[in-house]
Amino acid sequence: MSSFTQTLDAAWQRTGSLLCVGLDPEPAKFPAAFAGRADAIFAFCRDIVDATAPYACAFKPQIAYFAAFRAEDQLEQLIAHIHARHPGLPVILDAKRGDIGSTAEQYAREAFDRYRADAVTVNPYMGFDSIEPYLEHAGKGVIVLCRTSNPGGSDLQFLETGGKPLYQVVAQLAAQKWNASGELGLVVGATFPKEIETVRGIVGEMPLLIPGIGAQGGDVEATVRAGRNAAGTGMLINSSRAIIYAGKGDDFAAAAARAAEDTRDRINAFR
Amino acid sequence: MSSFTQTLDAAWQRTGSLLCVGLDPEPAKFPAAFAGRADAIFAFCRDIVDATAPYACAFKPQIAYFAAFRAEDQLEQLIAHIHARHPGLPVILDAKRGDIGSTAEQYAREAFDRYRADAVTVNPYMGFDSIEPYLEHAGKGVIVLCRTSNPGGSDLQFLETGGKPLYQVVAQLAAQKWNASGELGLVVGATFPKEIETVRGIVGEMPLLIPGIGAQGGDVEATVRAGRNAAGTGMLINSSRAIIYAGKGDDFAAAAARAAEDTRDRINAFR
């Protein structure tokens, strides 16, 4: 079986897309046809996945939305659907876990054994032994928060330590010390293109997961120019709400497909 | 209804205990009588809770252990059981969540609306807007990671920024800027008693959740002397594995009760 980075490289080549479609299901925003369905979250996300798959290189379900609605079973079903119907498109479980080693082992089981995700996002605040248990799952990807897209991201990540901001220390640790498996990536928000460029300079070819170009307002051109690697890839540029809620009526899936295609094309215009 | 800090203060007074019993259920470590039971995780934890409640001021289920075993429903059941049978003992959901505001809203719903926890642990790496949505749940506690008990905790938390280590900056932010609700607490590991003392100096009377005295090897005397507040309380000293797996046979609940009583007494000897 291919590793996460191999699958991702192949997906970038095959699809010609750098777009990662984020799945943040909120039943209150679903079209009326889903009202009252016990499997509404699965069914809505499945329709979005099937409609947008031709324009995406990956999918990123955000586990908080499933957990808030007691829909863990629907998340399992959804990821199984993606693997079955869209093989070769990696699934990144956005969970941002971070805990001591013995607990991290359980979170790794949750992400990889239970949900069968190809990669998971993790938080670096507790250091390397909070990340190591994920690396022991051979071939699985681990995407470490570095410079996040939210306003409060600066509260800690921009503090100077040893002459540089904390997020750069995280990028260095990830690239130089923590990446024994070769399956690490970093989260760097599209709301900070200059910092994407700095991180790219530190980490070489490492994949960057870049949220924030849609509802959060990041600039596509600046993001692509800052984040691409030598091959013109190296980025999973994520959009969630701007794609999955592009339409509100019965044509929601077609509207999501158009939004995904358009976003892919806007990204590709600057590669 | 009382807020988290009011409930906790009352529990400290009424129980005379600073011990928080951590619930990290691993079916492979359960006594043989639980083998094959579909509700083994709930039943084991319920027995531990009922046996140790006389010696505890709070319970702390670690959600990773439930999630790895597809046992979210058993976690709901367990917390409902604690509220019903042991009213006045707060439940801290150990989840260490951290995400952008819109996602944090979902995690807050998960912790407080779904699981009915009195407090939740959160990660500060993404800054204040990743913590704010939890504070909007009136009366609920939010316990921010500060100085964690694991070896890798030093990788980031001990980096110097502005002349002091990062964990002290987090303690200052929590005490001086983030605690509008008055319901904030901090996690400080028992493996670093000097740093508990420093944090206590920064945060005044704020509750400290202190893991690490059991399996992780922290020193009880040093922890209590460093962490107590002016009233001789202010601490939730957590022990998980050393209590819940104190016995392996049919007497596991009685063994857990003895371990809890002994731990409570060892703590109280130094208050």
Side-chain angles (χ1 to χ4, degrees):
Chain A
M1 228 174 87
S2 303
S3 75
F4 169 67
T5 52
Q6 289 167 338
T7 305
L8 187 56
D9 273 331
W12 281 325
Q13 300 309 322
R14 185 171 51 81
T15 67
S17 176
L18 301 178
L19 172 66
C20 176
V21 174
L23 302 165
D24 297 8
E26 286 182 86
K29 294 184 179 172
F30 292 173
F34 291 94
R37 286 184 61 164
D39 70 341
I41 290 179
F42 166 70
F44 173 80
C45 290
R46 177 202 56 204
D47 290 354
I48 293 286
V49 161
D50 292 346
T52 60
Y55 315 109
C57 68
F59 290 102
K60 181 179 74 63
Q62 167 51 258
I63 195 170
Y65 288 83
F66 296 84
F69 296 101
R70 269 191 191 85
E72 284 85 5
D73 54 339
Q74 297 183 64
L75 176 56
E76 289 183 30
Q77 232 185 318
L78 175 64
I79 295 175
H81 175 85
I82 298 171
H83 290 322
R85 295 296 178 84
H86 308 287
L89 292 186
V91 175
I92 298 154
L93 185 67
D94 197 358
K96 300 188 177 69
R97 301 306 193 217
D99 216 306
I100 63 170
S102 51
T103 302
E105 283 175 27
Q106 304 300 327
Y107 279 132
R109 291 182 55 165
E110 179 195 27
F112 301 135
D113 297 343
R114 177 182 184 181
Y115 290 116
R116 310 242 162 233
D118 299 290
V120 66
T121 55
V122 301
N123 187 307
Y125 188 70
M126 294 181 67
F128 183 58
D129 66 333
S130 71
I131 289 170
E132 210 170 8
Y134 301 92
L135 304 177
E136 287 161 11
H137 289 250
K140 296 294 188 177
V142 181
I143 304 181
V144 181
L145 297 183
C146 177
R147 180 70 172 115
T148 60
S149 57
N150 60 315
S154 303
D155 288 349
L156 267 63
Q157 297 157 25
F158 218 67
L159 294 174
E160 290 276 324
T161 176
K164 54 184 164 301
L166 182 63
Y167 78 89
Q168 293 183 20
V169 177
V170 171
Q172 286 175 330
L173 285 169
Q176 294 160 17
K177 289 196 172 176
W178 294 353
N179 196 16
S181 71
E183 297 295 324
L184 242 56
L186 288 176
V187 174
V188 192
T191 40
F192 304 101
K194 278 190 190 163
E195 295 159 39
I196 298 176
E197 194 171 356
T198 306
V199 170
R200 175 57 72 205
I202 294 169
V203 302
E205 301 295 290
M206 189 179 279
L208 302 181
L209 171 60
I210 305 180
I213 58 157
Q216 295 180 64
D219 178 78
V220 173
E221 177 173 2
T223 296
V224 176
R225 294 200 192 283
R228 65 188 168 195
N229 64 10
T233 62
M235 292 178 286
L236 291 147
I237 301 182
N238 186 77
S239 180
S240 302
R241 289 167 276 179
I243 288 177
I244 70 176
Y245 303 120
K248 298 198 178 298
D250 287 347
D251 67 336
F252 75 98
R258 280 193 302 275
E261 184 175 20
D262 175 62
T263 308
R264 178 200 65 183
D265 292 345
R266 282 192 295 137
I267 293 167
N268 283 346
F270 304 111
R271 279 171 75 179
Chain B
M1 229 175 85
S2 304
S3 75
F4 169 66
T5 52
Q6 289 167 339
T7 305
L8 187 56
D9 273 331
W12 280 327
Q13 299 309 322
R14 184 171 52 79
T15 66
S17 176
L18 302 178
L19 172 66
C20 176
V21 174
L23 302 165
D24 298 8
E26 287 181 85
K29 295 184 179 175
F30 292 174
F34 292 94
R37 285 184 60 165
D39 70 341
I41 291 179
F42 166 71
F44 173 80
C45 290
R46 178 202 55 203
D47 290 353
I48 293 285
V49 161
D50 292 346
T52 60
Y55 315 110
C57 67
F59 289 102
K60 181 178 74 63
Q62 166 51 258
I63 196 169
Y65 288 84
F66 296 84
F69 296 102
R70 270 191 191 85
E72 284 84 6
D73 54 340
Q74 296 183 65
L75 177 56
E76 288 184 29
Q77 232 185 319
L78 176 65
I79 295 176
H81 174 86
I82 297 172
H83 289 323
R85 296 296 179 84
H86 309 286
L89 292 186
V91 176
I92 298 153
L93 185 67
D94 199 357
K96 300 189 178 68
R97 302 306 193 217
D99 216 306
I100 63 170
S102 51
T103 302
E105 284 175 27
Q106 304 300 327
Y107 278 132
R109 291 182 56 166
E110 179 195 27
F112 301 136
D113 297 343
R114 177 182 184 181
Y115 289 117
R116 310 241 160 234
D118 299 291
V120 67
T121 55
V122 301
N123 187 307
Y125 188 70
M126 294 181 67
F128 184 57
D129 65 334
S130 72
I131 289 172
E132 211 170 7
Y134 300 92
L135 305 178
E136 288 162 9
H137 289 249
K140 296 295 189 178
V142 181
I143 304 181
V144 181
L145 296 184
C146 176
R147 180 71 172 114
T148 60
S149 56
N150 60 314
S154 304
D155 288 349
L156 267 65
Q157 297 157 26
F158 219 67
L159 294 174
E160 291 275 322
T161 175
K164 53 184 166 300
L166 181 63
Y167 77 90
Q168 293 183 21
V169 176
V170 171
Q172 287 176 329
L173 286 169
Q176 295 160 17
K177 288 196 173 176
W178 294 353
N179 195 15
S181 72
E183 297 294 324
L184 240 58
L186 288 177
V187 174
V188 193
T191 39
F192 304 102
K194 278 189 192 164
E195 295 160 36
I196 298 176
E197 194 172 357
T198 306
V199 170
R200 174 58 74 204
I202 294 170
V203 303
E205 301 295 291
M206 188 179 278
L208 301 181
L209 172 60
I210 305 180
I213 59 158
Q216 295 180 62
D219 177 79
V220 173
E221 177 173 2
T223 296
V224 176
R225 294 199 192 282
R228 64 189 167 192
N229 65 10
T233 60
M235 292 178 287
L236 292 148
I237 301 182
N238 186 78
S239 180
S240 302
R241 289 167 276 179
I243 289 178
I244 71 176
Y245 302 121
K248 299 198 177 296
D250 289 347
D251 67 336
F252 75 99
R258 280 192 302 275
E261 184 175 21
D262 174 63
T263 308
R264 177 200 65 182
D265 292 346
R266 282 192 297 135
I267 292 167
N268 283 347
F270 304 110
R271 279 171 75 179

